[in-house]
Amino acid sequence: MLRTIKSVAELGQYLARKYGNQPQESCWLIAVNTQMRVLDIQQVAQGTLDGVSIHPRDIFRRLVALNAYGFILVHNHPSGHLKASLADRLFMRQLAYCSTMMQLHFFDFMIIGLDGFMSLRATGELPKISLESLYDLWTDANKL
């Protein structure tokens, strides 16, 4: 059982061993406290062979209930292909906006497979969104 997250590599290897062989796409939420201690690991969605549908409310409902400081979202690709799809990237961006608004730290979006993992934070692909940029979007929209 994973208790505290010490590194991306340790987490990725643990997740790939535990969930990498799933035959359907699924998403797991890892909620953490300020010390990166794991509060909960929960499957929040299960899909088909090549897709999974999930809504941000399914993630944030659980995080608020746990009084979590932040989270990592984990998604498997049964094909073993670890590259993020367009749908993965769009959902990751949506989560980045929502987590900024909720002031919950979105630490990583990881893709796992039988033979490994990909951390989108480690590759620099996790969006960095500030509250100021969200305020700018809001004020710009209201000028229309």
Side-chain angles (χ1 to χ4, degrees):
M1 175 71 180
L2 184 66
R3 303 249 186 252
T4 302
I5 298 171
K6 296 178 182 152
S7 72
V8 171
E10 179 186 47
L11 176 62
Q13 291 164 6
Y14 170 82
L15 295 168
R17 277 193 314 271
K18 186 157 177 88
Y19 303 116
N21 65 345
Q22 298 292 313
Q24 296 169 273
E25 286 201 17
S26 299
C27 284
W28 295 269
L29 174 65
I30 302 172
V32 297
N33 69 11
T34 58
Q35 306 303 307
M36 296 304 285
R37 184 156 177 79
V38 175
L39 301 172
D40 190 32
I41 299 177
Q42 180 182 37
Q43 183 174 342
V44 289
Q46 184 169 352
T48 63
L49 178 64
D50 62 354
V52 63
S53 178
I54 188 167
H55 195 280
R57 72 175 160 259
D58 300 323
I59 292 167
F60 292 101
R61 176 185 318 114
R62 184 71 182 148
L63 292 169
V64 170
L66 289 167
N67 198 28
Y69 176 73
F71 68 100
I72 297 159
L73 192 72
V74 181
H75 165 57
N76 71 315
H77 283 177
S79 68
H81 184 69
L82 299 178
K83 187 173 181 184
S85 67
L86 178 58
D88 292 338
R89 291 176 191 289
L90 291 172
F91 186 61
M92 181 176 57
R93 180 162 290 284
Q94 186 180 26
L95 284 180
Y97 280 115
C98 292
S99 65
T100 301
M101 289 296 291
M102 296 285 296
Q103 296 183 6
L104 286 160
H105 297 271
F106 183 14
F107 289 112
D108 209 340
F109 185 98
M110 298 180 85
I111 299 171
I112 59 170
L114 187 57
D115 296 323
F117 70 94
M118 172 69 62
S119 160
L120 278 88
R121 173 163 302 277
T123 62
E125 298 174 71
L126 192 69
K128 293 177 179 89
I129 298 168
S130 68
L131 277 174
E132 292 78 22
S133 65
L134 291 177
Y135 295 146
D136 291 344
L137 285 174
W138 176 257
T139 55
D140 288 346
N142 284 326
K143 290 178 186 174
L144 298 177

